[in-house]
Structure formats: structure tokens, C-alpha cells
Amino acid sequence: MKNNLSLFKNKSFLFFFFAALFGVLGEGIYGLTAIVMVLEKTESVVEIGKLLVLTLLPSVVLAPFLGVLVDRFNKIKLAFLCNLLRFVAIFIIPASVAFGFFHVSIFYVSILLSYVIWFIIEPLKESILKEILSPEEYKQGISLVQGAWQLGLLASAIIAGMLMDRLGTTEAIFTASLVYILAGFLFVGINTKGDKAASEIEGKPTLKQYRSELVQGWIYIFQNKKVLYFALATSMVLPFFYSINTLIAPFNYQTLKGDGISLGIIDSGAGFGSLISAILCTLWVRNHAISRVVLVAISLSALSTVLFSLTTSVPFAFIMYLMMGMFIGMVKVLTRLLLFEQVEEKFIGRVMTSVSFVSLTVSIIMSLLIAFIGEASLTYGYIAISMGLIIPFVLTWKGSKFRSLTNLFVKKEKRSDKEDGVYDAY
């Protein structure tokens, strides 16, 4: 643990850690409050599914093109700008209420804009983290950042529940918008080795260059089967979260007969569990059989999801949600570790935006499917979610069977260097 905590002596990592923490805090408050607002106005699980699709659809269109943007331009400036724009996108809701011109269309515009920006920020953060840490620090760093993500998720659920019950949904959304101002300024304190490289690119990229770099990224993924399968497995985590988010509010109000506080408490269980998973992964990452642990964690995620659907009390629901968060949190951290071990740094932006593209597309399908199933039966909805986890299980298993193409290239380069050495000797 000492070696892991020593990362905080790295000023750039310290700023990044708290920027990630506050970013997820704002996202958690905003996301949970938005679901409650829709449920209050429509009392329909299907409408919640439609809302989640609305958060994803524009980003599906943009995701394939963002990788080149992330790999080419100054990441710190882009991160600051994205956080500032997300503040504006969210702030228009409380501002419109305060000045008396609020309409539901404004809410949906806010959702569209804020989540387009959100899915630029996420692969951008992955790329920044890769640049500010050495290869030796990266495994511990990603686990610690995952801990920040889960801590923000945990705190945001409790804070959102309290704000909604005591102040109202508008005030909760206003609080979420302010958090992004703080996160944006924290990014300014980060120095990355990639900023200089980005600034050295002469001129603006042409459409031909842009298309060429995009195609190179896709070719790289498909040629390296290990990267392909681990990228697809990583892509299945977000659909799981969106699926359970589709059903959590209806389950709380309809099955458990709860309120905003109980919703926040149950939802915080996922944060607690995921925080535990981040700590476990931080302590465990030096071991080698990561893929086996991922397979076990996926299986236990499916089991705990089914058991959660059978709960009838808030305390037991909290415990089961904690278990769900812990196991799927392990899947999220460890599948990323498996993926990043295989990806060359120059392709990281394009690989992660490809992961985002697949995640978003599958999340749309899953959100609508689970919403329609949940409208008929919440229990069947949770069973369908658990069955969907068969996909990342199979992908992880298949990915572990392939040899790394990157390693093969390294071996070829070493053989080539030896041959050159022989010729030089003569």
C-alpha cells in the first residue's frame, strides 16, 4: 500500500485524482436527479429508458471520431474546456427555473449537451492518466483512480438523495453544475508529457489525415485479437450500469415503497462496493491471473443482481447493491488493466473511444430492452441484466487464450536488432 500511496507525491496525479473525484461527484448527483425528475413527471419505466437513450445517442455518433481528437490535441486544455461546457449545459436547468422560463424541452437539451461532453471527458481522462504515470505506476494508478470514481459515486448518491428530499431537484442539479467548475480548474494543474508532442504537430489535420488516423486505430484493434476481445469485454461494463440505473428508482418507489433518502442509501451501496473493489484491486494487481478473477467477478455480479431483485427491505437491498457494485467494480478495473497491458500508448485514445462507441451502442439497446421488460416485471428485468453478463464472460475467456500481438512485434524487433548487430560486427 505504501508504494500505491506514494503516487500522491506526483503533483499531476494528485490533481488528476481529485479532478476525477469531483467529476464523478457531479455526474452522480446530476444523473440520479435526472432519473427522479422523469419518474415524477411520467411514472413510467419506459420513459426512464428513453431518457438514458437520449444521454447516449449523440455520443454514439461522435465516439468513433473522438479518438483522433484525444490523441492529437492538448489534453489538459481540452479537459478544462469540456468541464466548463458541462457546467454551462447543466446550469441552464436551474437558471431557466430561476428566471421563470423553464420548459421540459430545456431539460432534454441539457441532457443531450452534457452527455455529449461527458463521453469526450471519459476517454480523455484515460489518455491523460496514461501519460502522467510511468508503466510501473500505471497499474496502481488506475486502481486508485477507480477508488476516486467509486468514492464520488458513493458520496453523490447520498448527497443527491438529501438534496432532493430537503431542497428539491432543481437545487440538486445546481449543485452538480458547480462541481464541474472545480474539476475543470483541477485539470489545469496537470502536466503531461504528451502536451509537447501534441503542440509539435504542424498545422491543422486535414480530412485525409484524420480519416487515415481513424482507420489506423480500427486496423490496430482488429489485428490484435487480444486487444479486440478485452476492449469488447470492457465495453460491457457501462451497459450493466445503465441497465440497473433504469430499474433502481422504480424498484425503490414501487417494490420497497421508499423515498429519496432510501434511493440515495441503496444507490450508495454500489459506491461502497465499488470502493471496496478498487482497494482489493489496488492490493492485488501485482498478481498475474487477472483474467481468472474477472471471470469469477462477472459470475458473482450476475448472481448478486438476481438476488437483489428478490429483496423486500431497504437494508437488504443496500447490502445486495453493495455486492453488485463490488463485483462489477472489479470487472471494470481488471478488464481495463488487461486491455491497457496490450495497447501501445500512441493508440490509447483511439482504442478507448472505440470502447466508448461500443459501450454507448450496447447501452442504448440494453436500456430500451430492460425498460420494456421492467415495465412488465422488475424481477424479469434484473434477470435479463444478469443473463447479459454472459457476453463479457465469454469475451474475457476468449481474450485470455490469444497471444499478444504487441509482444510478438517486440520479439520481432529484438530479433531484427540482433541481426543488425551481427551485420555491424562484420
Side-chain angles (χ1 to χ4, degrees):
M1 179 62 72
K2 181 178 178 182
N3 291 336
N4 296 332
L5 295 179
S6 68
L7 288 179
F8 289 104
K9 295 179 181 179
N10 181 331
K11 180 181 176 183
S12 291
F13 178 77
L14 185 65
F15 277 104
F16 182 92
F17 180 88
F18 285 104
L21 174 61
F22 285 111
V24 174
L25 183 66
E27 159 62 16
I29 296 172
Y30 181 56
L32 191 60
T33 305
I35 291 173
V36 172
M37 286 182 68
V38 171
L39 187 64
E40 286 178 347
K41 294 181 179 298
T42 65
E43 298 182 353
S44 171
V45 180
V46 173
E47 290 302 319
I48 295 176
K50 292 178 181 178
L51 168 68
L52 295 179
V53 169
L54 192 64
T55 69
L56 297 170
L57 191 58
S59 302
V60 171
V61 178
L62 295 175
F65 306 99
L66 296 177
V68 178
L69 181 71
V70 170
D71 284 336
R72 177 177 283 272
F73 293 102
N74 187 299
K75 297 175 178 62
I76 300 305
K77 292 180 180 179
L78 192 57
F80 174 77
L81 178 62
C82 285
N83 278 275
L84 183 62
L85 290 175
R86 197 157 203 240
F87 158 74
V88 174
I90 297 174
F91 182 73
I92 61 176
I93 295 177
S96 64
V97 172
F99 288 101
F101 60 87
F102 176 79
H103 187 270
V104 70
S105 60
I106 295 177
F107 175 74
Y108 286 117
V109 168
S110 170
I111 289 288
L112 280 169
L113 294 177
S114 63
Y115 279 96
V116 167
I117 300 166
W118 169 257
F119 288 108
I120 298 175
I121 293 175
E122 286 308 291
L124 183 60
K125 289 194 296 187
E126 301 273 9
S127 186
I128 291 174
L129 183 62
K130 185 83 171 181
E131 292 189 358
I132 64 177
L133 298 179
S134 67
E136 294 75 21
E137 295 173 323
Y138 186 76
K139 288 185 177 181
Q140 286 72 42
I142 194 172
S143 296
L144 288 172
V145 171
Q146 178 68 9
W149 194 91
Q150 305 306 343
L151 185 61
L153 180 65
L154 164 64
S156 67
I158 298 174
I159 293 171
M162 294 177 64
L163 288 173
M164 286 188 288
D165 271 8
R166 298 183 180 181
L167 298 177
T169 53
T170 302
E171 288 75 11
I173 289 178
F174 174 69
T175 302
S177 70
L178 293 179
V179 172
Y180 278 94
I181 295 264
L182 179 57
F185 280 104
L186 285 169
F187 273 109
V188 176
I190 299 173
N191 292 314
T192 71
K193 61 186 179 183
D195 289 342
K196 182 178 180 181
S199 63
E200 289 175 350
I201 298 176
E202 296 182 0
K204 296 182 179 180
T206 64
L207 180 60
K208 184 177 180 180
Q209 291 172 327
Y210 191 93
R211 185 176 65 250
S212 175
E213 291 181 23
L214 181 62
V215 171
Q216 286 175 9
W218 283 96
I219 292 175
Y220 173 79
I221 294 172
F222 281 101
Q223 285 186 341
N224 191 331
K225 296 299 182 182
K226 211 170 184 70
V227 170
L228 175 62
Y229 282 114
F230 287 150
L232 290 174
T234 302
S235 301
M236 297 299 109
V237 176
L238 184 65
F240 177 86
F241 280 114
Y242 266 86
S243 296
I244 62 173
N245 282 340
T246 303
L247 302 180
I248 182 62
F251 187 82
N252 172 71
Y253 291 114
Q254 297 173 17
T255 303
L256 301 179
K257 310 300 180 185
D259 53 17
I261 297 294
S262 65
L263 177 62
I265 291 173
I266 295 170
D267 199 48
S268 70
F272 271 117
S274 297
L275 183 58
I276 294 171
S277 74
I279 295 172
L280 291 176
C281 290
T282 301
L283 296 173
W284 188 85
V285 290
R286 292 183 180 88
N287 293 340
H288 299 290
I290 295 178
S291 59
R292 295 180 184 176
V293 178
V294 172
L295 295 176
V296 173
I298 292 172
S299 301
L300 293 175
S301 297
L303 177 61
S304 57
T305 301
V306 174
L307 293 177
F308 174 80
S309 69
L310 303 176
T311 61
T312 56
S313 67
V314 172
F316 192 65
F318 169 81
I319 294 172
M320 294 313 304
Y321 222 60
L322 184 150
M323 300 299 289
M324 292 166 63
M326 182 174 69
F327 294 129
I328 202 65
M330 292 181 69
V331 175
K332 180 178 181 180
V333 173
L334 297 180
T335 53
R336 270 172 162 70
L337 287 180
L338 289 172
L339 177 60
F340 274 101
E341 285 179 348
Q342 309 301 322
V343 180
E344 296 176 55
E345 186 173 306
K346 64 181 179 180
F347 287 105
I348 192 66
R350 278 165 282 184
V351 170
M352 292 315 299
T353 49
S354 298
V355 168
S356 294
F357 173 72
V358 175
S359 294
L360 294 166
T361 304
V362 177
S363 294
I364 288 177
I365 297 171
M366 286 292 292
S367 295
L368 288 175
L369 177 62
I370 297 303
F372 280 106
I373 295 174
E375 187 81 0
S377 170
L378 293 175
T379 301
Y380 288 162
Y382 282 111
I383 292 174
I385 294 171
S386 66
M387 294 295 291
L389 290 173
I390 294 174
I391 298 173
F393 184 95
V394 173
L395 290 168
T396 302
W397 177 77
K398 286 184 70 67
S400 65
K401 301 299 181 182
F402 280 92
R403 296 181 66 186
S404 172
L405 189 61
T406 301
N407 292 337
L408 293 177
F409 285 154
V410 171
K411 291 179 181 178
K412 287 181 180 180
E413 290 175 0
K414 287 182 179 179
R415 287 199 300 268
S416 177
D417 291 341
K418 289 181 180 178
E419 292 172 357
D420 291 342
V422 172
Y423 295 139
D424 290 340
Y426 283 101

